[in-house]
Amino acid sequence: MPVPEASGSAESSQVDTIAILMATYNGERHLRQQLDSILGQSVGGWTLHIHDDGSTDSTSRLLASYAARDARIIVHDYSPQHGACANFLSLLQRVNARYYLFADQDDVWHPDKVRTEMAAMRHAETLHPGKPILVHSDLTVVDEQLSPIAPSFFRYSGLHPEYLCSFDKAVLPFVTGCTVLLNAAARQAMQPVPDKITMHDAWATLCTLHAGGEVVLVDKPLVKYRQHFGNTLGARDISKVNVGYRLQHLRRIINEHHAHYQMLRHLGYGSVLKYLRERVRYKLKASN
């Protein structure tokens, strides 16, 4: 069945095949490289939806110039959302599509990112028809000039997403938003969104698993994950996360655990003891 072309309205009733959602804020320094990497994808059939969160630099002018040259880029005009999480969720609420990808403003996508993740999505949908599906991938960690820091974000950060394959075991945010592809059923599973969540990617992962869906790992880097002073979140080198680091950052670590558990609890996860037990089990598996 033909898919109608996307509309530029903030509340479109028409449906994109693939909607790439980008939240921007004062991103002029690296934004052009990211936009070019999206425009250079090896497959089409997508529309890039962007909302700026009230930038004071030249981000808005840069976005307008790209949108004027390419009809696949739609810049949405509505009030600032005051933060990356709320900004991404606002786009997810407004844009109707069959599939959704999240794009940060400062990374660089592999040319085959959309193609590779869509192949994994279609395979998963064949195996699990009608279910919520979230596809994600590894990343290459790079510095501000895109020079390699680590070939695998998972190994660099000490993450083992293969162990976190069910709602009960999803005791830490193991999915990175800029690698995520959702189907419409996963988007529906995220509704309604509570007032306080840590990040859109963690919420999408937990809701997908809670709804009996599938989280599918593409175990290869499809994004150059740029590390710089302005990162909202960033890669944490596991080799430096020793006892001294944990003591120095104890308050932040406790707050991160509390926020993640509150999302789990909102979805009916269970007791803190259950959460701590699964954390220990994950650590034991990951250390083997």
Side-chain angles (χ1 to χ4, degrees):
M1 182 177 68
V3 178
E5 293 184 358
S7 164
S9 65
E11 296 281 357
S12 174
S13 61
Q14 295 179 312
V15 181
D16 290 355
T17 304
I18 302 169
I20 302 171
L21 310 181
M22 177 183 285
T24 63
Y25 178 71
N26 286 348
E28 62 179 2
R29 189 165 186 176
H30 306 299
L31 180 57
R32 190 181 298 275
Q33 286 180 308
Q34 172 66 310
L35 291 171
D36 289 343
S37 76
I38 293 172
L39 292 173
Q41 288 298 296
S42 59
V43 293
W46 51 262
T47 305
L48 174 58
H49 296 265
I50 309 172
H51 179 252
D52 186 71
D53 210 21
S55 292
T56 56
D57 63 1
S58 64
T59 294
S60 295
R61 292 191 295 274
L62 180 60
L63 293 176
S65 70
Y66 269 79
R69 299 198 306 266
D70 196 312
R72 295 173 296 176
I73 299 176
I74 298 173
V75 180
H76 293 254
D77 183 14
Y78 53 90
S79 61
Q81 300 297 296
H82 308 295
C85 177
N87 203 3
F88 276 114
L89 291 173
S90 72
L91 282 168
L92 193 63
Q93 188 71 30
R94 285 170 165 80
V95 176
N96 290 314
R98 295 180 178 176
Y99 302 100
Y100 299 87
L101 298 105
F102 297 126
D104 290 346
Q105 65 184 6
D106 48 5
D107 301 321
V108 172
W109 283 12
H110 188 282
D112 286 330
K113 179 183 186 296
V114 176
R115 180 193 295 274
T116 302
E117 292 190 344
M118 282 301 303
M121 172 64 75
R122 290 182 174 124
H123 178 67
E125 288 184 323
T126 299
L127 296 176
H128 310 283
K131 281 193 173 185
I133 307 290
L134 183 152
V135 175
H136 70 115
S137 77
D138 201 351
L139 313 89
T140 302
V141 184
V142 299
D143 65 16
E144 191 160 9
Q145 286 72 46
L146 300 180
S147 299
I149 295 173
S152 167
F153 169 74
F154 292 145
R155 289 188 285 276
Y156 183 75
S157 302
L159 291 174
H160 297 269
E162 67 274 16
Y163 297 143
L164 300 165
C165 55
S166 71
F167 178 68
D168 284 341
K169 292 178 171 59
V171 290
L172 75 164
F174 59 94
V175 166
T176 306
C178 60
T179 73
V180 162
L181 166 66
L182 302 170
N183 66 3
R187 182 232 198 185
Q188 183 60 37
M190 295 170 65
Q191 308 301 323
V193 180
D195 291 336
K196 292 184 179 180
I197 63 173
T198 55
M199 279 300 282
H200 57 289
D201 48 8
W203 180 246
T205 306
L206 295 180
C207 290
T208 297
L209 292 171
H210 179 254
E214 299 293 323
V215 173
V216 178
L217 169 64
V218 176
D219 196 11
K220 61 191 294 187
L222 297 176
V223 174
K224 291 183 179 180
Y225 190 30
R226 195 194 303 260
Q227 303 299 294
H228 57 86
F229 180 76
N231 283 111
T232 300
L233 297 173
R236 191 179 302 172
D237 185 352
I238 190 62
S239 67
K240 298 178 181 178
V241 184
N242 52 28
V243 173
Y245 177 94
R246 294 182 187 279
L247 289 174
Q248 182 180 358
H249 299 278
L250 183 60
R251 182 184 295 274
R252 189 187 74 186
I253 292 170
I254 290 173
N255 287 339
E256 288 174 354
H257 280 297
H258 179 262
H260 191 74
Y261 172 70
Q262 289 303 314
M263 285 193 299
L264 286 164
R265 184 182 178 188
H266 182 86
L267 295 169
Y269 180 82
S271 70
V272 173
L273 289 177
K274 176 184 175 182
Y275 173 78
L276 293 174
R277 183 173 65 247
E278 292 300 334
R279 281 282 304 175
V280 171
R281 287 177 176 172
Y282 166 76
K283 283 293 186 181
L284 290 174
K285 286 182 178 179
S287 62
N288 291 334

